[in-house]
Amino acid sequence: MSSSSRTKAPTSTRTRRNYGVSSSPSKIVADLDDVLLHILSFLPIKALIKCKRVSKRWRSLITNPNFSNRIITSKHPLPISGLYLQGTRREIEYRFVSLDNDQLSLPSQLRFADHPTSIIVVQSTNGLLLCKCTCHPNHFNRNYYVYNPTTKQKTLLPPITDHVSLSLAFDPSISPHYKVFCLRKSISSVSSASSASSVSPVSSVYSVSSDLYHIEVYSSNEGPWRRVTSVPSFTLPQTLTDLSNTVFWNGAVHWFWFGPNSRDCLSFDISREEIKTLPLPYLDYQDYDETPDVGTLSFTEESRGNLHFIEVNDLGSSDLPVYEMETNSSTWSLKHHVDLEPLAAAFPEIVRTEYYTYRKIYSFSVIGFVKGETDAESYIVLHIPKMAVKYNFVSKTFKKLCSFEPSQDDDDGGDNFYGFRRSFQFIESLANV
């Protein structure tokens, strides 16, 4: 048979052959959204952030709320990647300490691209930050934001005045939506102990105050501030000066305060909309009339569903007790002891002489607590002069995480062991705000 009389292959066959030659398996897979999303779901958050740069289509798939919510839920609880440490200088400055890799702790100013002033972190919760910024020209005005430092997304909260403290609540294993609770001053009408006790069961615990307070809530899916009407107005201690230490744990927001005559925690259960006081650990020094050291340190933090409390009242003691409250418990247990003596042997700069008593004291601050999947993986992060170190509770070993190099305005090179007032967890997350 001549070549001219050969029967040609059907067009569909030729098309299939050409498709098989010109299209690689990777391209075919990339064209199937379901398969691609399944593959992407196995990647860590950090890798997913980089994958958004591959193409507009990949970015659209990864930033889709359905996908990001699925990732957050499947990987919960997300690991703590690092800590933001707030400086003491007039210019708001943070240093970032990585818990994943050894690297230099660099000073930085957290800013939004469209805002002229630095942001101040108020609270960190499961990958989201509650922040505030001053507003020009009146620096007493504040804008409050919920910010995801991983995705750089932010939401401006509606304005609110006469507030004492704000607290962020976000549990991605339960809901992709977050809430912000506001402890707000009401009217001044309480003038006697009897009237105070009739306002709220919580009020009877405290000394009488002329001010009443209530709680308001903003929800990311429901909108503007509303008053929580199921909670009656209540009073707070007259000696109360600071409620900035707030923690979200076990479905409730907690406001901690430590005053001359009070050590309390105000707890608001979100689902039940109930307010109560949470007891703090009973410490030995409370048996004595002597007041704690001037430099008393306290630290409260949530990690992997448990609440942790640390308080230092004797800077001359090498023993650092760590208390823990589990989700299904209402009492504190003494979970760990940190012995500072081995740490002092390796880093002698931690030991100093108190200038007015000449006694030996330990110079440190607690800046982080990381609970691992097992106790053997759990550790505490301490700020000692010029560096941050982590101490493993079970192995009793420690490791230097980073050095605190001096910044432009830091003339002591991070030598002040109270150099960071607050620390905030950094958790990589795709949560939408």
Side-chain angles (χ1 to χ4, degrees):
M1 182 181 294
S2 63
S3 59
S4 61
S5 61
R6 290 177 182 173
T7 303
K8 295 182 179 181
T11 303
S12 59
T13 303
R14 295 198 308 270
T15 303
R16 287 196 297 270
R17 287 176 180 173
N18 292 335
Y19 185 85
V21 172
S22 62
S23 300
S24 64
S26 60
K27 184 178 187 305
I28 296 174
V29 170
D31 288 338
L32 301 176
D33 287 355
D34 291 340
V35 176
L36 178 58
L37 288 174
H38 181 70
I39 295 173
L40 291 174
S41 66
F42 290 98
L43 298 179
I45 301 294
K46 186 177 296 184
L48 287 172
I49 296 299
K50 294 180 179 179
C51 286
K52 292 196 302 181
R53 306 170 189 168
V54 172
S55 67
K56 291 182 179 179
R57 183 160 160 273
W58 280 40
R59 180 182 181 85
S60 176
L61 291 173
I62 294 173
T63 56
N64 184 288
N66 292 329
F67 176 74
S68 58
N69 293 338
R70 187 180 80 183
I71 291 298
I72 296 170
T73 303
S74 64
K75 297 181 184 296
H76 188 79
L78 297 169
I80 303 172
S81 300
L83 300 170
Y84 288 111
L85 307 181
Q86 183 177 341
T88 58
R89 300 299 175 182
R90 179 174 300 179
E91 185 71 20
I92 299 300
E93 182 181 88
Y94 291 84
R95 294 178 188 251
F96 181 77
V97 175
S98 173
L99 301 180
D100 295 332
N101 303 300
D102 296 332
Q103 66 178 44
L104 184 68
S105 174
L106 298 176
S108 63
Q109 292 179 353
L110 296 178
R111 289 183 180 271
F112 297 141
D114 56 351
H115 205 284
T117 61
S118 301
I119 66 176
I120 301 173
V121 182
V122 177
Q123 182 191 353
S124 59
T125 302
N126 289 319
L128 300 184
L129 301 180
L130 177 62
C131 308
K132 65 180 178 180
C133 296
T134 58
C135 303
H136 287 297
N138 187 351
H139 290 279
F140 291 100
N141 292 334
R142 299 285 190 273
N143 283 337
Y144 286 87
Y145 297 85
V146 175
Y147 175 54
N148 185 332
T150 304
T151 63
K152 309 302 181 184
Q153 294 178 333
K154 69 178 186 298
T155 291
L156 175 64
L157 299 181
I160 190 166
T161 58
D162 296 328
H163 64 275
V164 177
S165 180
L166 299 182
S167 185
L168 173 65
F170 176 55
D171 186 348
S173 66
I174 296 178
S175 171
H177 307 291
Y178 61 85
K179 295 182 179 181
V180 181
F181 292 89
C182 173
L183 191 60
R184 192 177 185 188
K185 185 176 294 187
S186 302
I187 57 176
S188 299
S189 62
V190 180
S191 57
S192 66
S194 59
S195 61
S197 61
S198 65
V199 173
S200 168
V202 179
S203 303
S204 60
V205 179
Y206 308 121
S207 58
V208 179
S209 169
S210 60
D211 295 320
L212 294 178
Y213 300 87
H214 66 269
I215 294 178
E216 297 188 16
V217 58
Y218 167 86
S219 176
S220 61
N221 63 324
E222 296 179 358
W225 295 103
R226 68 170 178 86
R227 178 164 179 171
V228 181
T229 56
S230 58
V231 177
S233 297
F234 52 90
T235 61
L236 292 175
Q238 292 178 328
T239 57
L240 180 62
T241 58
D242 184 19
L243 273 170
S244 61
N245 187 7
T246 175
V247 176
F248 171 66
W249 171 72
N250 198 23
V253 293
H254 301 83
W255 287 282
F256 293 86
W257 67 83
F258 304 90
N261 301 310
S262 62
R263 300 172 62 262
D264 294 292
C265 172
L266 187 68
S267 176
F268 174 70
D269 188 296
I270 297 173
S271 61
R272 297 180 180 179
E273 294 194 343
E274 295 178 351
I275 192 168
K276 62 180 181 179
T277 56
L278 179 71
L280 294 182
Y282 187 87
L283 304 180
D284 292 339
Y285 82 89
Q286 293 172 310
D287 293 329
Y288 303 95
D289 295 331
E290 299 178 3
T291 57
D293 283 337
V294 176
T296 297
L297 302 174
S298 60
F299 178 85
T300 51
E301 188 61 270
E302 180 276 339
S303 183
R304 297 189 71 87
N306 291 354
L307 188 64
H308 303 92
F309 176 84
I310 302 170
E311 185 169 292
V312 179
N313 298 289
D314 182 6
L315 298 177
S317 173
S318 62
D319 179 56
L320 179 62
V322 180
Y323 296 85
E324 180 180 271
M325 182 181 289
E326 298 181 0
T327 301
N328 57 356
S329 175
S330 59
T331 58
W332 295 93
S333 61
L334 183 58
K335 185 68 174 180
H336 303 288
H337 277 281
V338 176
D339 185 6
L340 297 176
E341 280 295 335
L343 192 65
F347 305 102
E349 56 266 49
I350 193 177
V351 179
R352 296 192 175 184
T353 301
E354 194 171 40
Y355 72 92
Y356 56 91
T357 64
Y358 301 103
R359 64 170 180 156
K360 173 184 173 182
I361 62 173
Y362 294 88
S363 306
F364 71 96
S365 292
V366 180
I367 59 176
F369 185 101
V370 179
K371 185 176 180 63
E373 294 185 4
T374 64
D375 284 344
E377 300 174 297
S378 301
Y379 60 90
I380 191 173
V381 183
L382 303 177
H383 174 204
I384 67 176
K386 297 184 179 180
M387 68 187 72
V389 298
K390 74 174 185 179
Y391 177 96
N392 184 281
F393 293 116
V394 175
S395 66
K396 309 297 183 182
T397 57
F398 45 85
K399 176 185 177 181
K400 176 181 174 181
L401 290 175
C402 65
S403 298
F404 293 134
E405 298 297 333
S407 64
Q408 183 177 0
D409 297 325
D410 189 7
D411 53 12
D412 63 9
D415 198 44
N416 183 357
F417 60 94
Y418 294 112
F420 300 109
R421 295 191 298 271
R422 297 287 304 279
S423 63
F424 304 94
Q425 296 177 352
F426 170 68
I427 298 175
E428 294 175 336
S429 172
L430 296 178
N432 293 281
V433 298

